[in-house]
Amino acid sequence: MTDSYEDRARDELLQEARERDLSTSGTRQELVERLREADREADEERPVRPRRKPMDLARRAARQLAELTGRPVDGVSGFSRTDHGWRVTLEVVEVSRVPSATDVLGCYEVVVDEDGDLVAYERTRRYLRAQAGEE
């Protein structure tokens, strides 16, 4: 634990040390230092995940959606942070036609986690490429 060891009773410090398989010998201050050192070592062992750039997350989301649906992603129309990752709005060519203005597109809301892995997706609407504005 990383809370203040100074405010804890010796019995609590001893219990914490036992639970973490640390030596329980020495003075109260030695117990406090031993627990703090164990905290520092645990922090150093924790892997640091590099933050992904939003553009990389959007590209990764597009690749994964294209792979799942078997349809090409035409573009990104939205991107926002969520509590657990990112929401990306992607435009997918569902039916390709000639001329391309008559293509049928689908608007998909894709959720990716902090690592950029697809967690969920849903088609929110379909429309013709030439269709102006919202529904």
Side-chain angles (χ1 to χ4, degrees):
M1 292 183 78
T2 58
D3 62 335
S4 176
Y5 295 119
E6 295 294 338
D7 298 337
R8 296 168 83 180
R10 180 174 167 75
D11 289 342
E12 290 176 288
L13 296 172
L14 287 169
Q15 180 63 32
E16 179 77 20
R18 279 189 208 100
E19 289 173 2
R20 296 168 71 176
D21 292 325
L22 300 173
S23 171
T24 57
S25 66
T27 66
R28 182 182 184 290
Q29 191 56 41
E30 288 172 331
L31 283 170
V32 168
E33 288 304 316
R34 192 172 299 126
L35 288 166
R36 285 186 177 148
E37 179 61 28
D39 288 345
R40 282 190 292 274
E41 288 175 5
D43 286 344
E44 290 171 3
E45 291 176 6
R46 243 180 243 121
V48 177
R49 289 191 324 196
R51 287 192 68 116
R52 293 189 181 265
K53 294 181 180 179
M55 187 170 289
D56 294 335
L57 289 167
R59 284 185 186 128
R60 191 171 160 98
R63 278 195 308 271
Q64 292 176 76
L65 183 63
E67 187 176 325
L68 279 171
T69 62
R71 298 177 178 140
V73 173
D74 195 57
V76 177
S77 60
F79 191 84
S80 63
R81 188 114 169 81
T82 67
D83 290 340
H84 303 290
W86 298 89
R87 175 174 284 112
V88 184
T89 305
L90 300 170
E91 308 300 320
V92 174
V93 178
E94 294 194 337
V95 179
S96 183
R97 295 181 175 160
V98 176
S100 62
T102 61
D103 288 350
V104 177
L105 299 178
C107 183
Y108 285 77
E109 293 288 324
V110 176
V111 178
V112 295
D113 64 16
E114 293 292 337
D115 294 323
D117 293 324
L118 194 136
V119 177
Y121 77 94
E122 175 183 14
R123 183 177 65 203
T124 57
R125 71 184 191 109
R126 290 180 90 186
Y127 60 97
L128 294 177
R129 185 183 298 273
Q131 187 179 354
E134 297 297 315
E135 296 181 66

